[in-house]
């Protein structure tokens, strides 16, 4: 008989696969404050060495909101008169690399 979870808490490995990011990125987002304890993640047992579980629905929502904020900021920063400032190197000039 197979049991199903009644809530959407997943291990770091399952969250990594479902959310499409690395376990290190999940940890980085926890430490940066994107994911909040109790809402987005929790410990499996009340111990500092206990594995972390993630609420997939809440994590996906936080990721979507962060992406939308970043996209809105980037669109506001880009101007239609943006010109390329890069030029190809001149002939006969050696690179110092």
């Amino acid at each position: 008989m197979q049991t199903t979870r009644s809530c959407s808490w997943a291990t770091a490995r399952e969250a990594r696969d479902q959310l499409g990011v690395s376990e290190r990125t999940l940890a980085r987002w926890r430490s940066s404050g994107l994911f909040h304890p109790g809402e987005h993640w929790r410990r499996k047992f009340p111990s500092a060495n206990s594995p972390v579980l993630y609420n997939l629905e809440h994590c996906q929502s936080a990721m979507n909101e962060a992406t939308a904020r970043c996209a809105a900021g980037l669109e506001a920063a880009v101007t239609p008169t943006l010109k390329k400032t890069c030029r190809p190197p001149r002939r006969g000039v050696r690179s110092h690399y």
Side-chain angles (χ1 to χ4, degrees), residues 35-48:
F35 291 165
H36 304 288
E39 181 184 355
H40 299 101
W41 66 275
R42 68 176 178 90
R43 296 277 179 192
K44 188 172 184 177
F45 304 107
S47 166

Side-chain angles (χ1 to χ4, degrees), residues 10-90:
T11 65
R13 189 171 291 165
E14 293 167 339
R16 171 198 70 191
D17 294 339
Q18 290 292 319
L19 299 174
V21 297
S22 69
E23 289 182 44
R24 180 70 192 120
T25 297
L26 293 171
R28 197 175 312 116
W29 287 345
R30 279 196 335 261
S31 64
S32 73
L34 179 64
F35 291 165
H36 304 288
E39 181 184 355
H40 299 101
W41 66 275
R42 68 176 178 90
R43 296 277 179 192
K44 188 172 184 177
F45 304 107
S47 166
N49 294 329
S50 177
V52 175
L53 299 176
Y54 294 90
N55 185 312
L56 296 177
E57 294 170 12
H58 290 182
C59 289
Q60 186 67 55
S61 294
M63 289 169 60
N64 290 342
E65 289 173 15
T67 303
R69 282 193 307 266
C70 290
L74 287 174
E75 288 176 12
V78 174
T79 62
T81 59
L82 186 64
K83 294 182 180 180
K84 264 191 159 177
T85 59
C86 295
R87 289 183 284 172
R90 295 185 313 210

